[in-house]
Amino acid sequence: MFIIDSPSHDAYFNIASEEYLLTKYPKEPIFLLYMNEPSIIIGKFQNTLAEINLDYVNDNKIKVVRRMSGGGAVYHDLGNLNFSFHTLLGNLDFMDFSTFTQPIVSVLNKLNIPARLEGRNDLLVDGKKFSGNAKLARNGKMIQHGTILIDSQMQILNDALKVNPLKFIDKAVKSNRARVTNLIDYLPPEFTTIKFKELLIAEMQRENPDAKVIHFSATDIQNIEHLVKEKYETWDWNFGFSPNYNFKKAIKIPAGFIELHLDVHKGYIEHAKIFGDFFASKSIHELEELLIGEKHQLEEIAALLNSIDVTSYFGKVEAPEILELFK
């Protein structure tokens, strides 16, 4: 087994490194650990916009990254330790989560913390979740990865993942907002995420005497960064990959009541309908037609609205007011 402690706190880099390691080490078992600066990690089959508070995420410069595995959205920061096991697919049952969570449970039990695996894939203490896990199979290997909440900013977690469920109608996988807790209140005084990481690495070495700690080479880092540029930091992967959905929102501004309905396919607007009691000189159908083919992305919508005279469609308004409809 190779044990790798990522040198990066960049969520794009660390999520990309999981895919890179599948090709770099097609047969060797791997235990990867990493910590990310504030970021939201979206399950592969989720509608990104339906999982995040976009305004809050943008205002606080929180990265949004889609991972390769299914499951729900999670928040990462430096108070959260992330682990990723890579093994050959045929060695274990795909639905066996206990094998790869046992080292974490063992470390905590040795600290007299009554952690345990409950349900299919969650680790709990006192009935509260501190770790969620997901799996994927690819290229003959299986990856199980998960989070460990040590001292994460819970208020940011709640605010970043707070979304209006009435905006979206789709069949994408929805996150289950379980009651979660940090382990910091159960751990010894002045305990840190890094200290827990060190204990977990030591536990893995104890259970796997032949395990070897290795580091990403300069070539590895260059290749991972290439994958980041090519895929993991792109709008197409993180937002455009979302399943088809219908979006709706209504606003009340001095010019009147306006309601927007969008049909979105792979992140692009396929159909738009605008209703309201506003007065304008041009047919709103013209604007609906202009929206077709645009990304459901605020920057692109803003550019479109700034390129036209919005007052001709809605009366006395400014482009930022209309942009609120698309959030």
Side-chain angles (χ1 to χ4, degrees):
M1 172 180 284
F2 293 146
I3 298 175
I4 304 173
D5 181 6
S6 173
S8 177
H9 291 155
D10 178 9
Y12 295 140
F13 180 94
N14 287 323
I15 301 302
S17 71
E18 294 193 331
E19 179 172 349
Y20 171 74
L21 288 171
L22 284 174
T23 55
K24 167 89 183 214
Y25 299 108
K27 298 189 185 222
E28 297 85 347
I30 297 167
F31 181 53
L32 170 69
L33 289 163
Y34 56 89
M35 296 160 56
N36 287 328
E37 291 175 340
S39 51
I40 294 176
I41 313 303
I42 300 290
K44 183 175 182 181
F45 307 109
Q46 292 192 294
N47 174 359
T48 303
L49 290 175
E51 292 295 327
I52 66 174
N53 180 343
L54 185 62
D55 287 342
Y56 184 89
V57 165
N58 288 338
D59 290 345
N60 290 276
K61 297 180 171 55
I62 297 172
K63 291 181 178 176
V64 178
V65 194
R66 188 182 299 277
R67 62 178 184 266
M68 292 187 294
S69 64
V74 292
Y75 172 74
H76 288 181
D77 61 21
L78 296 179
N80 182 42
L81 179 63
N82 307 287
F83 62 93
S84 179
F85 284 95
H86 298 217
T87 187
L88 289 176
L89 180 58
N91 288 356
L92 293 165
D93 175 27
F94 185 76
M95 298 311 297
D96 172 23
F97 283 87
S98 61
T99 298
F100 299 116
T101 53
Q102 187 55 47
I104 297 151
V105 171
S106 295
V107 169
L108 291 170
N109 290 168
K110 288 174 184 177
L111 294 169
N112 296 317
I113 298 172
R116 60 193 174 90
L117 176 68
E118 187 169 297
R120 187 181 64 176
N121 59 342
D122 293 336
L123 293 179
L124 278 68
V125 60
D126 288 344
K128 292 173 284 188
K129 175 179 172 179
F130 67 87
S131 174
N133 292 262
K135 280 187 190 264
L136 71 121
R138 184 168 171 180
N139 299 341
K141 291 194 84 173
M142 177 174 67
I143 294 180
Q144 176 174 322
H145 46 197
T147 63
I148 307 171
L149 291 169
I150 307 290
D151 193 14
S152 189
Q153 297 294 314
M154 287 296 183
Q155 189 56 52
I156 296 178
L157 182 157
N158 291 330
D159 291 342
L161 295 176
K162 188 186 297 177
V163 68
N164 182 353
L166 299 178
K167 285 185 184 178
F168 297 92
I169 303 171
D170 62 18
K171 296 181 180 179
V173 178
K174 302 296 188 298
S175 295
N176 178 19
R177 304 288 182 229
R179 193 167 143 213
V180 297
T181 189
N182 276 316
L183 290 173
I184 195 68
D185 294 332
Y186 299 86
L187 292 164
E190 300 183 6
F191 209 89
T192 65
T193 307
I194 291 174
K195 176 63 177 175
F196 190 88
K197 178 172 66 173
E198 292 169 349
L199 290 178
L200 187 52
I201 290 174
E203 179 70 15
M204 290 301 300
Q205 291 175 313
R206 187 188 68 77
E207 292 186 1
N208 303 273
D210 295 331
K212 179 181 178 183
V213 176
I214 64 172
H215 304 280
F216 287 131
S217 67
T219 299
D220 291 331
I221 291 172
Q222 183 178 19
N223 289 335
I224 294 169
E225 288 177 344
H226 176 74
L227 188 56
V228 166
K229 294 290 184 189
E230 184 180 73
K231 179 177 180 179
Y232 282 94
E233 70 176 10
T234 67
W235 181 90
D236 284 336
W237 172 248
N238 294 319
F239 290 87
F241 189 83
S242 294
N244 300 348
Y245 59 88
N246 303 114
F247 173 90
K248 64 179 181 178
K249 187 175 178 182
I251 59 173
K252 181 72 171 70
I253 56 177
F257 173 81
I258 309 173
E259 182 176 331
L260 171 72
H261 292 243
L262 300 177
D263 294 337
V264 184
H265 177 71
K266 294 189 182 301
Y268 289 84
I269 298 170
E270 280 197 332
H271 184 262
K273 194 68 182 172
I274 301 171
F275 306 92
D277 60 2
F278 47 87
F279 296 98
S281 59
K282 282 189 177 181
S283 169
I284 198 65
H285 179 67
E286 292 182 19
L287 179 55
E288 292 169 347
E289 289 293 314
L290 288 174
L291 288 168
I292 294 173
E294 294 289 329
K295 290 180 180 178
H296 189 193
Q297 181 187 32
L298 293 183
E299 290 84 353
E300 296 219 355
I301 300 297
L304 171 63
L305 295 176
N306 287 325
S307 72
I308 62 175
D309 178 12
V310 292
T311 63
S312 63
Y313 298 107
F314 298 103
K316 193 174 180 180
V317 298
E318 295 184 358
E321 291 178 291
I322 303 303
L323 187 62
E324 288 295 316
L325 274 170
F326 296 85
K327 294 182 178 180

